[in-house]
Amino acid sequence: MPPVGAPVHPDDLGCGPLILGVIWTFAIIAILVVAERFDVQCKVADGPALEDWLMDAAVVGLQQLAEVLHGHLTLLTRQPLGAPRTHR
């Protein structure tokens, strides 16, 4: 019996690419929304308030999380995502 968490088939990526696609999609949407809010706050109000800076910090954290997960999945598969698969 394989240990818990061991891949059943080493070349099977499972849901990893789908999850990364969803995370990156939401990260890009969040970056665009926060950037637009910053722009509006600079034009309409006196500048970004505390909540704007907190949202910015959250978006930076989300982006870093997505990069870490992307790197982790790339390391697990030992090949860049999107590269043609090689059989061993």
Side-chain angles (χ1 to χ4, degrees), residues 16-32 59-74 81:
L18 175 66
I19 292 170
L20 282 177
V22 170
I23 289 174
W24 276 114
T25 301
F26 281 115
I28 290 169
I29 291 171
I31 289 168
L32 293 174
V59 166
V60 168
L62 174 63
Q63 180 186 6
Q64 290 179 352
L65 173 67
E67 290 174 2
V68 166
L69 290 176
H70 189 106
H72 182 67
L73 187 60
T74 302
L81 292 178

